[in-house]
Amino acid sequence: AGGPVLVVAWDMPFIEPGLLALIVSSLIARTSAVVPEGPRGPEPMCALYTPACLPTIEAALAEGDLRLGSLVSRLRGVIRIPVERVAALGDPTRLFFNVNDQADLELAERMAGTI
């Protein structure tokens, strides 16, 4: 992409527009990424990345490191949104909940009140 990219994992059903707006509005010059913090640390699957990340991403791929979590620690110029700021928009555990298997899907459905 020729500009910043907002990444949201498809398996995060409870992401709120206000959180995405906060991430986008936190971008400033010379920033490589904007990454919110969740209860367990950085949430790289709900973050904004700029073209400045490309050399670091390419180096990680060349090394066979495919973990997005390790990318955040490699990047310079990362703005981290503290979990306290995220919590002002909703429960971070819910916001960053992801569905990886049938049990997670059933829990998400209960959380959403659909079953």
Side-chain angles (χ1 to χ4, degrees), residues 5-81:
V5 175
L6 181 62
V7 173
V8 180
W10 67 273
D11 65 348
M12 292 179 143
F14 301 115
I15 293 296
E16 293 287 337
L19 175 60
L20 301 179
L22 174 61
I23 293 168
V24 171
S25 69
S26 297
L27 179 65
I28 60 172
R30 295 190 183 94
T31 300
S32 61
V34 178
V35 182
E37 300 277 340
R40 294 175 290 181
E43 291 289 345
M45 295 303 293
C46 180
L48 184 140
Y49 298 93
T50 71
C53 294
L54 289 176
T56 305
I57 291 170
E58 290 169 349
L61 291 172
E63 294 169 16
D65 186 355
L66 305 179
R67 298 170 297 135
L68 195 52
S70 70
L71 173 65
V72 173
S73 64
R74 290 173 173 242
L75 290 172
R76 294 186 187 142
V78 174
I79 294 174
R80 292 181 184 241
I81 300 173

